[in-house]
Amino acid sequence: GAVVSQHPSRVICKSGTSVKIECRSLDFQATTMFWYRQFPKKSLMLMATSNEGSKATYEQGVEKDKFLINHASLTLSTLTVTSAHPEDSSFYICSAIDGTEAFFGQGTRLTVV
Amino acid sequence: AQSVTQLGSHVSVSEGALVLLRCNYSSSVPPYLFWYVQYPNQGLQLLLKYTTGATLVKGINGFEAEFKKSETSFHLTKPSAHMSDAAEYFCAVTISGGYNKLIFGAGTRLAVHP
């Protein structure tokens, strides 16, 4: 199947700094990617839909100014957590669509200290 | 609007026993349905999916699921559990006729005991 690579897998940052997470489709082009957030022992919450060449579509309650999404090419979407705070600590997962199937990245464990 | 309900946040079975993880969905249009498995600190891996056609779908690792429109269900089963099946399982739905965002259930943690 198709491969989605997410980087980094783990990151620790200081409160107030920004962190960028990359999501790449390695062997297919993805005009649409999705970013999810997963709290401990909880399900995946869709944060936003990333559209190549246009603005991302954010779900209700997600701060677009805090979670900046850029989908500059057909194989790369980035999520930047700006001015991170401890409550932003979470597991972030991206997915990309190939045909009728979603492929997921390995996830990024963000810890803000 | 679509939604997914997974009955039972934790399921425990003995090795070799039947695995049954329940999923019910709500959708105003014909759905696409999925089961994913997640191991600790990893992304999601697709087990199986239903889009159209045969309502009994077979997936990887011996899992299968049956789409029952009358019951709005898509339960996941495996005849004989293996220790390596211990993981978190998510049922998800999206609308048919073109890919859209996935809506996930709350997840079911499967424990397998020797």
Side-chain angles (χ1 to χ4, degrees):
Chain A
V3 178
V4 174
S5 177
Q6 191 173 338
H7 179 79
S9 58
R10 289 179 175 271
V11 58
I12 300 173
C13 71
K14 292 184 177 180
S15 186
T17 62
S18 295
V19 174
K20 180 184 287 188
I21 303 170
E22 293 185 346
C23 180
R24 294 181 184 272
S25 56
L26 296 186
D27 48 4
F28 66 101
Q29 294 182 330
T31 57
T32 303
M33 294 185 178
F34 300 91
W35 287 96
Y36 294 85
R37 181 174 179 176
Q38 187 177 30
F39 293 96
K41 299 183 179 181
K42 297 290 185 182
S43 187
L44 283 76
M45 180 191 77
L46 180 65
M47 298 175 65
T49 303
S50 174
N51 304 296
E52 188 269 335
S54 64
K55 292 182 178 180
T57 305
Y58 290 83
E59 295 298 304
Q60 190 173 9
V62 177
E63 298 177 62
K64 60 182 65 178
D65 293 332
K66 164 166 276 296
F67 299 101
L68 299 180
I69 291 173
N70 183 272
H71 196 153
S73 78
L74 288 171
T75 59
L76 175 64
S77 174
T78 60
L79 168 67
T80 301
V81 183
T82 63
S83 188
H85 289 96
E87 55 265 32
D88 298 326
S89 298
S90 194
F91 194 59
Y92 294 88
I93 305 176
C94 71
S95 75
I97 309 306
D98 185 20
T100 60
E101 186 169 335
F103 294 90
F104 288 80
Q106 307 95 312
T108 297
R109 171 74 60 193
L110 171 63
T111 303
V112 184
V113 297
Chain B
Q2 298 173 298
S3 65
V4 176
T5 302
Q6 290 183 241
L7 295 175
S9 58
H10 290 79
V11 171
S12 181
V13 300
S14 299
E15 191 175 19
L18 171 71
V19 175
L20 171 60
L21 305 183
R22 300 178 186 275
C23 173
N24 288 87
Y25 70 92
S26 172
S27 178
S28 57
V29 297
Y32 286 173
L33 294 159
F34 306 80
W35 274 100
Y36 288 90
V37 61
Q38 183 182 34
Y39 296 98
N41 293 312
Q42 294 187 26
L44 277 68
Q45 180 183 13
L46 180 68
L47 281 176
L48 48 79
K49 64 179 178 182
Y50 168 79
T51 53
T52 58
T55 57
L56 180 64
V57 292
K58 295 184 183 299
I60 62 172
N61 301 338
F63 285 95
E64 63 181 38
E66 186 171 11
F67 170 60
K68 292 187 176 181
K69 183 178 179 180
S70 62
E71 299 178 7
T72 61
S73 69
F74 191 58
H75 301 331
L76 181 71
T77 60
K78 181 174 180 178
S80 178
H82 191 272
M83 297 295 288
S84 60
D85 294 327
E88 188 85 21
Y89 292 80
F90 293 97
C91 182
V93 64
T94 189
I95 62 174
S96 60
Y99 201 88
N100 207 318
K101 58 187 179 183
L102 282 169
I103 305 299
F104 285 88
T108 297
R109 181 166 297 276
L110 175 66
V112 182
H113 300 289

